[in-house]
Amino acid sequence: MNYTKEQILARCNEFSKNTLMETLKIEYIDAGEDFLTAKMPVNPSVHQPMGLLHGGASVALAESVGSAASFFFINPKEQEVRGIEISANHLKSIREGYVFGTARIIHKGRSLHLWEIKITDEEGNLVSLCKLTNMVLERKKI
C-alpha cells in the first residue's frame, strides 16, 4: 500500500457517504499493511425480529470492509473492484454495543483478491467469520 493509515481511513469514511455503509453507521477505524478494520453499532436498526444482530448486517459489514481494503491494492484510475462471492458463519449472537470487522488479505492476485473478515464484539469474541472474493476489473474507458 502506498497510503498512510490516516489517508486510508479518511478515504474509506469519505466514500461511505450516501451509501449503505452510512445507513448502517459503519466507520473505518484502523488500517495496516494487510488489514482494514471498521466498526458498526448494534441496535434495533440492524436487529432481526428476535432482537439480535441480523446476519445480513454482519455480511454487509464484512463485504464493505473487504471491498474497501481491495481498493488500496489497485490503481483506481485504471481498475475497479467487484465482490463476486461472500460466505459467512455466524457463531455468536449480540444484541447491543459494537461489532468490529477486520479484513485480512489471504491472496492478492492480479485479478482476484481473497479476504478473511473476522467480526468480533467489544470483548474480542468472534461473532462471525466471513470469506470474500473480489474481482479486479479494468475500468471501462468512456
Side-chain angles (χ1 to χ4, degrees):
M1 281 191 230
N2 298 323
Y3 303 92
T4 68
K5 174 181 169 176
E6 292 74 22
Q7 289 172 319
I8 291 169
L9 298 177
R11 180 78 187 240
C12 289
N13 286 314
E14 179 62 30
F15 66 55
S16 292
K17 291 183 179 175
N18 299 313
T19 67
L20 178 65
M21 287 78 76
E22 183 176 65
T23 300
L24 296 176
K25 297 183 176 28
I26 293 172
E27 178 187 358
Y28 295 88
I29 61 168
D30 198 9
E33 282 296 315
D34 68 343
F35 77 94
L36 179 63
T37 300
K39 70 177 184 176
M40 181 178 71
V42 179
N43 56 45
S45 69
V46 295
H47 282 170
Q48 42 92 310
M50 299 302 293
L52 302 169
L53 174 62
H54 193 292
S58 295
V59 171
L61 172 61
E63 186 160 358
S64 298
V65 176
S67 293
S70 274
F71 181 82
F72 293 98
F73 289 120
I74 65 167
N75 177 345
K77 292 180 180 171
E78 297 178 10
Q79 300 170 304
E80 51 192 24
V81 173
R82 296 285 185 275
I84 60 171
E85 183 178 11
I86 190 163
S87 64
N89 293 97
H90 305 300
L91 306 168
K92 183 179 185 318
S93 299
I94 182 171
R95 293 183 183 276
E96 60 185 14
Y98 282 90
V99 287
F100 301 85
T102 299
R104 292 194 182 276
I105 192 79
I106 296 171
H107 171 77
K108 182 180 70 168
R110 283 177 295 154
S111 59
L112 290 177
H113 295 170
L114 179 61
W115 294 92
E116 176 186 75
I117 302 100
K118 290 183 177 179
I119 299 176
T120 58
D121 63 17
E122 292 173 283
E123 287 77 44
N125 298 308
L126 189 60
V127 173
S128 295
L129 181 61
C130 306
K131 185 175 70 172
L132 171 68
T133 306
N134 289 328
M135 179 183 290
V136 179
L137 301 171
E138 294 302 314
R139 190 175 286 280
K140 293 183 181 174
K141 310 238 186 305
I142 299 175

